Each structure stands twice: as C-alpha cells, then as structure tokens.
Amino acid sequence: MNKRIEAALNDQIQKESSSSQYYLAMASWAETKGLNGTAKFMYTHSDEERFHMLKLIKFVNERGGVAVVPSIPEPPREYDSLERVFELLLEHEVGVSESINEVVDACLQEKDYSTHNFMQWYVSEQLEEEALGRSILDKLRLIGGDKGGLYLFDRDMEMTAAAAAKGGNADQKA
Ligand code: FEO
C-alpha cells in the first residue's frame, strides 16, 4: 500500500476512534442529567464511529498496509448545556469531513483509485451526519430554555437513535 495513503488512513482511524470516545463521553454526561433519549442517541452514534474506525482498520490491513490502533486522550467530562453538546458534535463532524476530504485529495494525487472509491462511503456518511447535526441544533435553538420542549426533544432523540441503529445495522451488514 502507498505509504502516504497508509499514513492518511491511519490518521483517519485515529479521528474515528476519538469521535467514538467523544460521543461516548457525551452519552454518559446526558445519562447523568436524565436525558435518556439523548444518551441513547449518543451511545448509538459512538457505536457507529467505532464501526467507521473498524472499517478503515480492515481496509488498511486487507490492502497490505498496517493499521495502527491509536491511544485516545480523555474527552471532556462536563458540558455547559445540551445545545453546547450538539454545537461541539457539529464542529467535530465538520473537522472530520475536512480530514476525509484530505484523504480523498491524497488518493487522487497518488492515483490510488481503489482507496478513492472506498472513501466515497465516508464522504456520503459525513454529508448525512453534518445535516443531522444541523437539524438537531436548529431544533434546540427553537426550543431555547423551554422545559416542556426539552422533554419532547429528548423523547424525539430516542426515536432518532432507534432509526439510526436500524440504518447502522444495515450498513454493518453491507
Ligand atoms: Fe465517522 Fe462522524 O465521523
């Protein structure tokens, strides 16, 4: 495997792994605040990120490279508000999208078309994740400090988590 591509993919493995830990920390925080729907959504999201990492690890190893399992710094334990949690999630996802675009760009420069093809799955996944993050933030901003609205929001997140889990299972079988 091309060494530059191998390094870029290993860097992406690190990012997906840190996303998984980040959302796990957010899930745990939400659970301790009684936001069980949001916690469920974040636990599911954390699992999805782990799947993104595993998919990369397998690809690198199957292509003759060596995948590196990274160590991850501890994510934050405390968050100022639910809105802040989703702002951080969206900021994080935008950063991940940029990094995926850099991998795609490196693939084109190195003429590694099969990795380029493999990465298209991540490109569309990021589009979905960013769109979901933005729509959740819009809802939260609309609700503002309304407690009843927040209750309904949290209940909705439980359904969003269930739908994501279904989609995620289909992806993982694909
Ligand atoms: Fe796998 Fe949300 O980046």
Side-chain angles (χ1 to χ4, degrees):
M1 175 172 229
N2 175 300
K3 287 291 158 200
R4 182 179 168 202
I5 300 301
E6 182 182 14
L9 292 176
N10 269 316
D11 188 49
Q12 196 59 39
I13 287 168
Q14 198 275 341
K15 289 199 166 69
E16 302 293 346
S17 177
S18 95
S19 300
S20 179
Q21 289 298 93
Y22 201 12
Y23 302 148
L24 189 57
M26 289 174 174
S28 180
W29 175 85
E31 198 164 53
T32 63
K33 303 290 173 204
L35 297 161
N36 293 338
T38 304
K40 220 172 233 181
F41 172 82
M42 288 296 183
Y43 280 127
T44 304
H45 205 26
S46 171
D47 284 347
E48 279 177 21
E49 298 298 353
R50 182 176 154 76
F51 170 68
H52 297 174
M53 174 192 70
L54 286 173
K55 198 173 160 83
L56 280 159
I57 288 178
K58 287 182 181 157
F59 181 80
V60 170
N61 290 338
E62 278 164 10
R63 294 279 313 282
V66 177
V68 179
V69 176
S71 65
I72 305 295
E74 184 186 323
R77 296 179 190 187
E78 282 300 323
Y79 300 89
D80 292 340
S81 65
L82 192 56
E83 190 176 325
R84 188 64 194 135
V85 163
F86 282 98
E87 276 172 5
L88 289 170
L89 178 141
L90 183 57
E91 280 168 23
H92 190 78
E93 287 304 324
V94 169
V96 170
S97 297
E98 281 167 10
S99 134
I100 283 171
N101 287 343
E102 279 167 26
V103 178
V104 170
D105 195 40
C107 289
L108 288 176
Q109 285 175 28
E110 298 295 322
K111 297 189 167 37
D112 183 343
Y113 300 117
S114 57
T115 304
H116 180 271
N117 187 42
F118 168 77
M119 290 306 294
Q120 295 314 302
W121 182 86
Y122 287 85
V123 170
S124 41
E125 186 71 11
Q126 283 311 116
L127 278 175
E128 278 177 29
E129 290 195 357
E130 278 192 40
L132 181 62
R134 286 195 179 91
S135 78
I136 291 172
L137 253 188
D138 285 346
K139 269 191 211 164
L140 275 174
R141 284 176 179 151
L142 212 67
I143 291 165
D146 181 66
K147 287 227 171 12
L150 200 61
Y151 172 79
L152 292 174
F153 170 87
D154 193 57
R155 215 182 54 180
D156 275 3
M157 290 307 286
E158 192 154 355
M159 289 193 283
T160 310
K166 250 186 177 176
N169 288 342
D171 273 349
Q172 288 173 35
K173 276 180 205 134

